[in-house]
Amino acid sequence: MTITIHHYHFFYYPDVAVSCDERDRNTAEDFIRYPRLIVEVLSPTTAAFDRGDKFADYRTSESWQEYVLINQERVSVECFRRNAEGLWVLYFYSQGQEVQFASVNFSCAIETLYEDAIEIG
């Protein structure tokens, strides 16, 4: 799935993107313009870009509410959530915790995100 930020026409390929906007549902385009949730799985070669320039570009989208960064080397999830004032607040999750993606009303044990991916213990 390609994400394009409506006003600036940046094209990215996030690991997961969710749109709840009717304008994305009722289009013939093969990309979404109005993401609500974007998830990136961090790798050593992409982590800096995902946290820096890509995050800055994504923030230009008014529909976007949550940015989730999943560490692939250890059980660690960073969730940046836009608050009522428009500020991005970091919620950090680690082993034994329940991860919440408020923008799509979803929660699960963090270990579920890592099932069959890395050894937890």
Side-chain angles (χ1 to χ4, degrees):
M1 176 72 54
T2 304
I3 300 296
T4 180
I5 302 305
H6 181 59
H7 298 291
Y8 299 101
H9 301 288
F10 296 109
F11 289 90
Y12 293 115
Y13 298 90
D15 294 305
V16 175
V18 178
S19 173
C20 299
D21 194 296
E22 285 296 320
R23 294 171 290 184
D24 284 327
R25 187 175 297 170
N26 298 319
T27 183
E29 297 171 330
D30 62 351
F31 56 86
I32 63 174
R33 293 179 184 260
Y34 308 99
R36 178 176 287 188
L37 168 71
I38 297 173
V39 179
E40 297 284 3
V41 177
L42 300 176
S43 72
T45 57
T46 65
F49 181 64
D50 289 343
R51 283 190 169 99
D53 290 342
K54 188 186 282 189
F55 189 21
D57 290 344
Y58 283 155
R59 285 193 308 259
T60 63
S61 171
E62 292 180 16
S63 66
W64 188 39
Q65 298 174 14
E66 233 166 357
Y67 190 41
V68 176
L69 301 173
I70 300 175
N71 190 313
Q72 70 172 309
E73 297 177 327
R74 66 180 183 277
V75 180
S76 173
V77 173
E78 299 167 57
C79 178
F80 293 89
R81 193 172 298 141
R82 190 188 318 232
N83 68 16
E85 293 80 32
L87 302 174
W88 290 92
V89 178
L90 172 62
Y91 296 83
F92 180 78
Y93 301 98
S94 59
Q95 193 164 339
Q97 294 185 310
E98 184 153 307
V99 177
Q100 296 192 4
F101 304 151
S103 64
V104 293
N105 195 27
F106 175 82
S107 64
C108 70
I110 195 170
E111 289 79 8
T112 302
L113 299 178
Y114 288 89
E115 189 173 325
D116 298 327
I118 64 173
E119 192 75 27
I120 298 174

